[in-house]
Amino acid sequence: MLLRRFYDDKLAQASYMIGCQATGEAVVVDPHRDTDVYLEAAAAEGMEIRYVTETHIHADFLSGSRQLARRTGALLLLSAEGGQDWQYAFADEDGAGLLRDGDTIEMGKVTLKALHTPGHTPEHLSFTVTDGAASAEPLGVLTGDFLFVGDVGRPDLLEKAAGVAGTMAAGAKTLWQSLERFKELPDYLQILPGHGAGSACGKALGSVPSSTLGYEKLVNWAFQCADEEEFVRKVLEDQPEPPAYFASMKRMNRDGPAVLDRLPEPVQLVPDVLTARLREGATVVDVRSRGDFASGHLPGTVNIPWGADFTNWAGWLLPYDTPIYFVAYDHEHARAAARDLVMIGIDRSVGFAPPEVLDWWTGSVAPVERTTVIDWEEAERALDGEDPVLLDVRSLTEWNEGHVPGAEHIHLGSLPERAEELDPDRPTLVYCRSGNRSAIGASLLQAAGFKDVRNIEGGIQAREAVHS
Amino acid sequence: MLLRRFYDDKLAQASYMIGCQATGEAVVVDPHRDTDVYLEAAAAEGMEIRYVTETHIHADFLSGSRQLARRTGALLLLSAEGGQDWQYAFADEDGAGLLRDGDTIEMGKVTLKALHTPGHTPEHLSFTVTDGAASAEPLGVLTGDFLFVGDVGRPDLLEKAAGVAGTMAAGAKTLWQSLERFKELPDYLQILPGHGAGSACGKALGSVPSSTLGYEKLVNWAFQCADEEEFVRKVLEDQPEPPAYFASMKRMNRDGPAVLDRLPEPVQLVPDVLTARLREGATVVDVRSRGDFASGHLPGTVNIPWGADFTNWAGWLLPYDTPIYFVAYDHEHARAAARDLVMIGIDRSVGFAPPEVLDWWTGSVAPVERTTVIDWEEAERALDGEDPVLLDVRSLTEWNEGHVPGAEHIHLGSLPERAEELDPDRPTLVYCRSGNRSAIGASLLQAAGFKDVRNIEGGIQAREAVHS
Amino acid sequence: MLLRRFYDDKLAQASYMIGCQATGEAVVVDPHRDTDVYLEAAAAEGMEIRYVTETHIHADFLSGSRQLARRTGALLLLSAEGGQDWQYAFADEDGAGLLRDGDTIEMGKVTLKALHTPGHTPEHLSFTVTDGAASAEPLGVLTGDFLFVGDVGRPDLLEKAAGVAGTMAAGAKTLWQSLERFKELPDYLQILPGHGAGSACGKALGSVPSSTLGYEKLVNWAFQCADEEEFVRKVLEDQPEPPAYFASMKRMNRDGPAVLDRLPEPVQLVPDVLTARLREGATVVDVRSRGDFASGHLPGTVNIPWGADFTNWAGWLLPYDTPIYFVAYDHEHARAAARDLVMIGIDRSVGFAPPEVLDWWTGSVAPVERTTVIDWEEAERALDGEDPVLLDVRSLTEWNEGHVPGAEHIHLGSLPERAEELDPDRPTLVYCRSGNRSAIGASLLQAAGFKDVRNIEGGIQAREAVHS
Amino acid sequence: MLLRRFYDDKLAQASYMIGCQATGEAVVVDPHRDTDVYLEAAAAEGMEIRYVTETHIHADFLSGSRQLARRTGALLLLSAEGGQDWQYAFADEDGAGLLRDGDTIEMGKVTLKALHTPGHTPEHLSFTVTDGAASAEPLGVLTGDFLFVGDVGRPDLLEKAAGVAGTMAAGAKTLWQSLERFKELPDYLQILPGHGAGSACGKALGSVPSSTLGYEKLVNWAFQCADEEEFVRKVLEDQPEPPAYFASMKRMNRDGPAVLDRLPEPVQLVPDVLTARLREGATVVDVRSRGDFASGHLPGTVNIPWGADFTNWAGWLLPYDTPIYFVAYDHEHARAAARDLVMIGIDRSVGFAPPEVLDWWTGSVAPVERTTVIDWEEAERALDGEDPVLLDVRSLTEWNEGHVPGAEHIHLGSLPERAEELDPDRPTLVYCRSGNRSAIGASLLQAAGFKDVRNIEGGIQAREAVHS
């Protein structure tokens, strides 16, 4: 048997290829849209992708299942569970097979069996994996977003993100039922989840790629709950606000995600063309580091550095329906940013200009714009004398855990809509935890016409270091 | 002044960017279609491409002038010389400016002046280059395909390749007139031609990128001719057969070469899909080395190794109007092959499969096909006993200079049409100079159903080494 | 907690980085010598490598533990179990800590605890992994070469490879004791082994990266044995001959593996210099594909294509104490080959020449040498008429499972010593399973002066395809 | 004939490979120390490097002649002109041939003939290049640092940089004699110089790679001088201060430049090790962009961004005799910086750390240090109220052409020695032309313990844009 895990760091998402080496048949479960990686792996392993399936309708990335099935000619298999009102809309069009609890996918001696495990979503399936060459018993379960290492999938997204009212509490209850069902399964089963947790070692299991059912029974908080009531209360409390783009994602994944032949290849634009687009109101994202952006950038551009959180903030802040342009270090850099946007369904990355566009701008138009970067000492001097706004762009949870006295709070993801609550003529000092998000926020305010925006480098972390 | 030469090894072709650094304006002369290189150079040099022009309607590659002008918003400038019957057909559509003898292109203190230098083609322009900051006199001439280092552009292509009857002799005479005109210009002028010669040091100047007019007057055979008659005779004798694709190239370049936004990006195909295409009759080119192809390949594929002569043989042997598929080492390899095809207007490189497709074929269909490779000793044994055809696929010139007794001659470029002159059931031994072309030829015959094809590794070179 | 697995495809070997994200401390277990990968991972994860350890004295690759500890300043921890006669010899010199059964490595809330699990080797340790933030109970065990997915580590290497007589049966017995001890541990423990099995899905678990103890109890053949006697018999039967270089590897790993600052960087050599070295008897390995090698190669060079089995055959066939030179496609190719040799302690990859050396050789010395490649039809004609040797270079196991009548058997790894058993003047036809190993074997015979060597492309596989 | 030019952008330096393709012999003239590029070119062109020579003892980069000759086994040829007191000291040791005026280097039909052209240096040779296959007359001259496109080599370096007193005026006179000699040569000769000028199109020829003698006679200021007196006066006036490292360079190049087998490969260091080195006083250069450096850097590090002027400022500011460490984006970045340092003889680039070292520093030691970046508005506010030093770090020539009133001038290259003239407790505002050099200067002052250093982004350019 072949079992291979694909982990995308930007999405913190795991997909799996499972197959029988004797017959060369494989299934891919929960593929993302950079589908080349599955083809390359199949070629290297000598496997043919015969089936493509997914555990559920994803909210946090655009599914690559449809695209991979079309590219390979594989049979697409989609959940038929979850009730009439919440079904995949493109199953017929794509000639997909439908999966119900107990259905199996068979490749040589390897079998995946679907278990209906609703809660995170109504149609959610898990898949037990059995290597018949070794035993008739399964060796593990692909649990998708039902059961994580040390946690469970949140049941409130459908209501909060997709706006299906009243599903939150019901979801929590069905999730409890799904857990009850899993308590019957043997301890030795491997748990192969759809996401890696980002949590630190002080809380739950952190960055451990997989677990076992016996260990989860021992340590996972959900299995420690005495009854449904306790579980429902706990699973719904303290859930952070879901990103706004989850709603679009869920809808697209249900109705039929767009299919790409290949990743977009942004064309290098001459300065004239890029800046003409910018003046026409196009979205131009500067994906360079925040330090380089602060040194000089085109007025009207937003800075989302290509790095760990790029996909997340792009999802919050970029439009889905219009072309995207980049200022990027070079072709490779622009291509990497375009690839990451595709993961969340932003497919129209059409062009980029290298940093030389800044020299051209200086020479042909005006000096480039800078961002003022200050430390807490300078910030406090300004607070003393200049009556600025002190803006905290962290999450509500972080804000509630403690913030700088006198600050105002707007979550970075809401800043585009809520910037109008602020006075663009007043000096605005922006902070977050480390300086990353506040740099994005400062660029948004500058692009929105705020006259005097300053980013507090180092954020709350630096303040605590200084004050400690 | 900025003067930058771009040399494409595969095409043996030179294009130039010339501009004034004080104003940041530049012109590109004779661009090919991989237009990113000009944008990157302009960005790095801080120049803006304001004009795009070309010396003449090229026959050996597809012009990138139109594409570059559209991508940059630059003004396209095309020759209006050459008479009513032979004019650029897309000048109006593209809002191009027309150039006549004496017209200038001015960028800051830098001036290019058009000189009508017909002969190679009727509309051919050369451009003197003057750096007004240094002198009112030009420093050199961009001579396109009019005057090379040690040679002149052949005047017979229009007739032989494009089929415009009767233009050969007339062209030779106008070429003589153009040379006469150049004899008046000062010796110190740099000659910056459109092609690098591939000839060895025993003949003419070989691989020297530029020359001077004074030196050419001294050594170039054309300047040594006593009169027009001698020149016309010499320039028309011994010209090799032009590649068949020159005709299409010339027509496309006159009527309006296709414009690409970006280079094609061949998609990785699963074995099923590639081999389905192959069975449907699609063109599948194996661009791996001839050694790897001989070890094993898909039946029906043609081997044109991606290397020095790839563009040339692709031009001879591949169709223009149908999708092209590759067997290639990996994505980069397929992308490089697709890029080179674009240079001659073959734009539909849609997909590729890596070598693992061969294992799949063996496992799912049948053993892969091999090519028998033999040396001259084995060849002579076969000639003694098996009554094979001995096929020489070199050029007519090479054949005329000497060949193996008993051989038959078919130029590799004509083999697809003329293979039917041979008996597919008779053993066929193929040779060329070194084994490169015969490997391509052997693959063509195998794909055409010849039962017993053997490639004589090392070619004539190895035979001479053995016999000396 | 952080748990990260590093898998090296060429060695089929797994190493692990485990640490506590709250304190940023980590341990690396069983590192190989391309130690940059651990430094890069630590930098990316924000961890500091504080400890380096290994499960046992490896036989199949050169340990990178010493090197990694020195480069990072980490504390090296080595097993002190296994008895006085079989101890790490460099522990004192490197200031290493010694580990005995029950000792722990503590990083923040994460603990590794050593379990003495002898059998594969006397000093072998496994490590339970506990994330104290989640539970006081361990979540898994790093089992090194004690317990694999579906198999156990062979107890005969010390005797067969390192020549420590009489240890084979004793090892098998202690291995049984170690298994007995593991039967007591809970089913839910993850099993994280030191090697991935290469076996197909028809036998045991194949390419599954990890397992659980409960599942292994269910399916692993070793846990199904009724008693020690049955286990000892089974574990010692049918073990293939270990590679000859395992003996050196084991000795070096015990006495103190060489420490590298950086990977070797082979220098590009001019043809003169490479061929001078070749004439002086230096080892020149042509790492190009077997197809390209067959097309033409320098006389006296050996062909070990850089690919899946490169490390293995290099270990069998290359000397440890002399400089190695390559014929390689380019600098990157030579660097990749040098990197893989370092993994087994062949550190002196000093230079390479690109394929142009072959043209130089042809021009300056003589035609390059070719390898005759034939199919079974040609082979059978030769067997009928020419009285050749038919040489099978597969393993003894494969030979015993069936071979071509009339063939002689010499394992490829023994061919350098045993070539003298063959007559260099007789035609020699070489085969293996697929044509890979026979190509290496043919190159060895050619380099040893055999006059007429032919490689049967496709091997036994092709023969069966033809005959079926 | 083959003529190939190698241009190194960082050094603005040209070297040449010239050879006869019929015999495959070539000479390399004025090689730098990244000698792989010559080996790769020779391999690609099918040439063997039989001779290595240089026009003169270079002052601006470390010669690669000795190294290339040793790596290829080529004969090293060195000038014997220039008098007894100024001779290559390693000619004997390396078995070099000595070249005097009129001596020739012959390869097949190609000949280089040495012309003694002193002035820039006493021993300076030029080489005429003749392709005997075309003509007995030369086609061009390699003029080294004697004659440039639009300029001549400065004759004052030996005195100013190498301290050989009294040679300046004498050099200027012999340079005049050399020019007089060239006036006799034919106009059509190509001039192939050793450096590309960096001057803009408003002055002389700018970025044109080559010229002709006739054109130079027409436009080069040196050929316009009426007599020796005028020439001597003009050639000595307004020459900028030569970089301090030119003295070392000249001495090393005369006495015997160090020979490298391969380029240095900086090892990735763990944060502990890099910061330990830093504390011990090692040189740690942060080669990231100035924006990223300003955002956060290790205290005590100097910022020289790897880019256009890296080699130049490294030559001015870095020590020759001690190990160098980098903070660099990644391995490739550190390797590129190390390669460029080798060009000027700084060979001990031993290690680097990626940017994650900054997080480690923040976590383990203290917040990282930032650089305050201000614009002219902030600068003027500070000048009004805080009594800061305003420091101009441009060249003396630029300073003399105009500077900000009230500024002090210290050339960036002298800042390490002259920083003590400034008060480290006073705020110091640094500017240059664009913000590049002032960023380097600010980092030097911070590393030297200055408490409040601010870099004026955009420099004089931005000030003029604002004030215009």
Side-chain angles (χ1 to χ4, degrees), chain B residues 55-103:
Chain B
T55 53
H56 66 294
I57 299 172
H58 300 288
D60 52 331
F61 67 99
L62 199 63
S63 171
S65 296
R66 193 186 200 194
Q67 175 173 314
L68 183 59
R70 289 208 191 161
R71 282 189 65 186
T72 57
L75 179 63
L76 180 63
L77 294 166
L78 297 171
S79 175
E81 298 284 356
Q84 280 309 93
D85 302 338
W86 188 253
Q87 290 284 314
Y88 283 96
F90 61 100
D92 273 2
E93 183 187 341
D94 281 50
L98 293 178
L99 290 176
R100 295 190 164 277
D101 187 78
D103 287 348

Side-chain angles (χ1 to χ4, degrees), chain B residues 72-332:
Chain B
T72 57
L75 179 63
L76 180 63
L77 294 166
L78 297 171
S79 175
E81 298 284 356
Q84 280 309 93
D85 302 338
W86 188 253
Q87 290 284 314
Y88 283 96
F90 61 100
D92 273 2
E93 183 187 341
D94 281 50
L98 293 178
L99 290 176
R100 295 190 164 277
D101 187 78
D103 287 348
T104 59
I105 305 171
E106 289 178 33
M107 298 151 291
K109 296 188 170 168
V110 172
T111 306
L112 263 66
K113 185 165 119 187
L115 301 183
H116 184 213
T117 50
H120 175 63
T121 64
E123 80 291 350
H124 194 290
L125 300 178
S126 295
F127 295 97
T128 63
V129 180
T130 303
D131 179 7
S135 166
E137 297 301 321
L139 61 88
V141 197
L142 303 171
T143 54
D145 287 13
F146 158 46
L147 184 59
F148 295 131
V149 177
D151 206 348
V152 293
R154 51 192 294 191
D156 59 326
L157 280 184
L158 198 59
E159 178 157 350
K160 288 197 197 148
V164 186
T167 55
M168 200 159 80
K173 284 178 190 174
T174 56
L175 187 52
W176 174 253
Q177 300 306 322
S178 297
L179 286 167
E180 289 282 287
R181 185 176 179 191
F182 258 55
K183 287 178 187 163
E184 309 304 314
L185 300 176
D187 283 4
Y188 63 72
L189 284 177
Q190 291 190 53
I191 299 300
L192 302 159
H195 283 289
S199 49
C201 115
K203 188 200 154 196
L205 272 181
S207 297
V208 178
S210 65
S211 184
T212 67
L213 186 53
Y215 189 73
E216 290 304 307
K217 289 178 190 169
L218 204 62
V219 309
N220 192 312
W221 68 266
F223 283 112
Q224 316 312 314
C225 292
D227 53 26
E228 186 183 282
E229 191 196 319
E230 181 189 344
F231 173 78
V232 169
R233 181 173 40 78
K234 285 195 173 159
V235 80
L236 293 179
E237 83 191 0
D238 281 339
Q239 292 286 15
E241 278 309 291
Y245 69 97
F246 275 27
S248 320
M249 215 80 311
K250 237 190 179 357
R251 187 177 33 72
M252 291 182 193
N253 279 331
R254 188 195 55 192
D255 295 348
V259 166
L260 292 178
D261 254 8
R262 52 176 64 79
L263 295 177
E265 182 82 13
V267 174
Q268 182 172 338
L269 301 175
V270 291
D272 257 4
V273 175
L274 183 85
T275 54
R277 296 291 159 278
L278 185 58
R279 279 200 209 93
E280 294 157 21
T283 302
V284 179
V285 189
D286 193 321
V287 295
R288 298 176 304 144
S289 72
R290 68 180 194 260
D292 287 344
F293 184 84
S295 279
H297 56 262
L298 298 182
T301 56
V302 176
N303 181 221
I304 311 181
W306 183 73
D309 288 324
F310 177 72
T311 311
N312 180 46
W313 293 116
W316 274 102
L317 301 169
L318 298 184
Y320 271 72
D321 309 328
T322 56
I324 305 284
Y325 300 86
F326 302 114
V327 174
Y329 291 121
D330 54 24
H331 207 118
E332 277 314 301

Side-chain angles (χ1 to χ4, degrees), chain D residues 389-395 398-399 402-404 407-412 429-433 437 460:
Chain D
V389 174
L390 178 64
L391 182 67
D392 183 324
V393 296
R394 297 175 305 153
S395 73
E398 289 170 289
W399 167 266
H403 53 262
V404 180
E408 293 187 35
H409 177 256
I410 299 178
H411 181 273
L412 174 57
L429 319 187
V430 196
Y431 78 86
C432 64
R433 195 181 62 88
R437 283 172 288 176
I460 281 280

Side-chain angles (χ1 to χ4, degrees), chain A residues 22 83 116 127 171 195 214 221 308 342 396 423 433 440:
Chain A
H116 185 212
F127 294 97
H195 283 289
W221 68 266
V342 158
L396 190 59
D423 178 355
R433 195 182 60 89
I440 300 175

Side-chain angles (χ1 to χ4, degrees), chain D residues 30-308:
Chain D
D30 286 335
H32 53 59
R33 289 172 96 213
D34 184 3
T35 46
D36 277 0
V37 302
Y38 308 110
L39 293 187
E40 284 160 18
E45 302 281 0
M47 307 298 280
E48 195 179 357
I49 299 170
R50 296 285 291 271
Y51 307 99
V52 176
T53 191
E54 58 187 37
T55 53
H56 66 294
I57 299 171
H58 300 288
D60 53 331
F61 67 99
L62 198 63
S63 170
S65 297
R66 194 188 199 191
Q67 176 174 315
L68 182 59
R70 289 206 189 165
R71 282 188 67 185
T72 56
L75 179 63
L76 180 64
L77 294 166
L78 299 170
S79 173
E81 296 285 356
Q84 279 310 95
D85 302 340
W86 189 253
Q87 290 285 314
Y88 284 96
F90 62 99
D92 273 5
E93 184 187 340
D94 280 49
L98 294 178
L99 289 176
R100 295 189 164 277
D101 187 77
D103 287 348
T104 59
I105 305 171
E106 290 178 31
M107 297 151 293
K109 295 187 171 171
V110 172
T111 305
L112 264 66
K113 185 164 121 189
L115 301 184
H116 184 213
T117 50
H120 176 64
T121 63
E123 81 291 350
H124 194 290
L125 300 178
S126 295
F127 295 98
T128 63
V129 180
T130 304
D131 178 7
S135 165
E137 298 301 319
L139 61 90
V141 197
L142 303 171
T143 55
D145 288 12
F146 158 48
L147 184 58
F148 295 131
V149 177
D151 205 349
V152 293
R154 53 193 290 191
D156 60 327
L157 279 184
L158 197 61
E159 178 157 349
K160 287 199 196 147
V164 186
T167 55
M168 199 158 83
K173 285 178 188 174
T174 56
L175 186 52
W176 175 255
Q177 299 307 319
S178 297
L179 285 167
E180 287 283 287
R181 185 176 179 190
F182 257 55
K183 287 176 189 166
E184 308 305 314
L185 300 177
D187 282 4
Y188 64 71
L189 285 176
Q190 291 190 53
I191 299 299
L192 303 159
H195 283 289
S199 47
C201 115
K203 189 199 155 196
L205 272 180
S207 297
V208 179
S210 65
S211 185
T212 68
L213 187 51
Y215 189 73
E216 290 303 306
K217 287 179 190 169
L218 204 63
V219 308
N220 193 312
W221 68 265
F223 282 112
Q224 316 312 315
C225 292
D227 54 24
E228 184 183 285
E229 193 197 320
E230 182 190 344
F231 173 77
V232 169
R233 182 172 41 79
K234 285 194 173 159
V235 81
L236 293 179
E237 82 191 2
D238 280 336
Q239 292 286 14
E241 279 308 294
Y245 70 96
F246 275 27
S248 319
M249 215 83 307
K250 235 187 177 2
R251 188 176 33 72
M252 291 181 192
N253 279 332
R254 188 195 56 192
D255 294 348
V259 167
L260 293 177
D261 254 8
R262 53 177 62 79
L263 294 177
E265 181 83 13
V267 173
Q268 182 172 339
L269 301 174
V270 291
D272 257 5
V273 174
L274 182 86
T275 52
R277 294 293 159 275
L278 185 59
R279 280 200 208 93
E280 294 157 21
T283 301
V284 178
V285 189
D286 193 320
V287 296
R288 298 176 303 145
S289 72
R290 69 181 194 258
D292 287 344
F293 185 83
S295 278
H297 56 261
L298 297 181
T301 56
V302 176
N303 180 221
I304 310 181
W306 182 74

Side-chain angles (χ1 to χ4, degrees), chain A residues 187-188 212-215 218, chain C residues 137-139 186-190 212 214:
Chain A
D187 282 3
Y188 63 72
T212 67
L213 186 52
Y215 190 73
L218 204 62
Chain C
E137 297 302 318
L139 61 89
D187 282 4
Y188 64 71
L189 284 177
Q190 290 190 54
T212 67

